[in-house]
Amino acid sequence: ATVPLPTTGTAYGFKVVAVDTAGNVGISEWSNYVLPQWEPRPGANQLENGGFESGGLDPWISHGGTLTVDTGSPYEGGASLYMKAHGVGWWYGDAGIHHLLPELRGGQQYTLSAFMRADAPRMVHMRAYRDSGHRNHRGEHALHVGTEWREYYVQFTANDDVLPAGVAIDVAESTTGLWVDDVRFYEGSYQPVGTHPALAIVEPAV
């Protein structure tokens, strides 16, 4: 495929990552060519459709549960995601959603945050991971989610380069329904949305 690239910026080597229909991941050796590398701004959300305003899930990937884009009671905007695990899994990651990322950079601090509320108080796991082989976790934390909209977050520093990578919200620990809205993943420490001071952070995780 031909991909248009910016013509300014610092030159870097690059690898090519390919994923087949079975989910197998292949990574090339370092190229002999260079191209300008995209550098996300600190605090800029690296996730697409984090508020589910498109009316669908894409590019999020779901597994192990029933998911509905709900327009009845979002935290913000016109939609949120409602999900419910088919059953309690042997691992909490057996049901949930995840979003692929190009990379995590060693030594860089990151924050994953989301507004969530549940049908009844429950546990929810949020994490970043390596999307190849065993899904080694970065910044994983279990959060106690209540029945009112609150913003929850996981903040961590990547201990090495991770390519490819992803972030996940896991719900297989319980079949209690969960709403999710305004999911963000960005470089740097936690940045409150600040639109509703009463919706303060409940359980910070480092």
Side-chain angles (χ1 to χ4, degrees), residues 64-87:
T66 301
L67 293 93
T68 305
V69 175
D70 177 48
T71 59
S73 55
Y75 161 69
E76 188 175 54
S80 63
L81 182 69
Y82 180 76
M83 56 182 172
K84 190 172 186 178
H86 292 318

Side-chain angles (χ1 to χ4, degrees), residues 188-199:
S189 58
Y190 170 66
Q191 298 180 6
V193 172
T195 55
H196 295 286
L199 299 178

Side-chain angles (χ1 to χ4, degrees), residues 119-161:
D119 288 332
R122 58 157 299 158
M123 298 291 292
V124 175
H125 290 255
M126 296 175 67
R127 60 190 169 93
Y129 62 87
R130 181 190 302 275
D131 190 48
S132 60
H134 295 290
R135 290 192 171 180
N136 301 319
H137 304 160
R138 303 289 191 278
E140 178 185 2
H141 199 78
L143 300 160
H144 299 273
V145 175
T147 58
E148 301 294 330
W149 283 115
R150 296 289 187 272
E151 186 170 34
Y152 300 81
Y153 76 93
V154 171
Q155 182 176 289
F156 68 98
T157 299
N159 54 17
D160 55 18
D161 292 340

Side-chain angles (χ1 to χ4, degrees), residues 1-6 35:
T2 301
V3 180
L5 296 170
L35 77 163

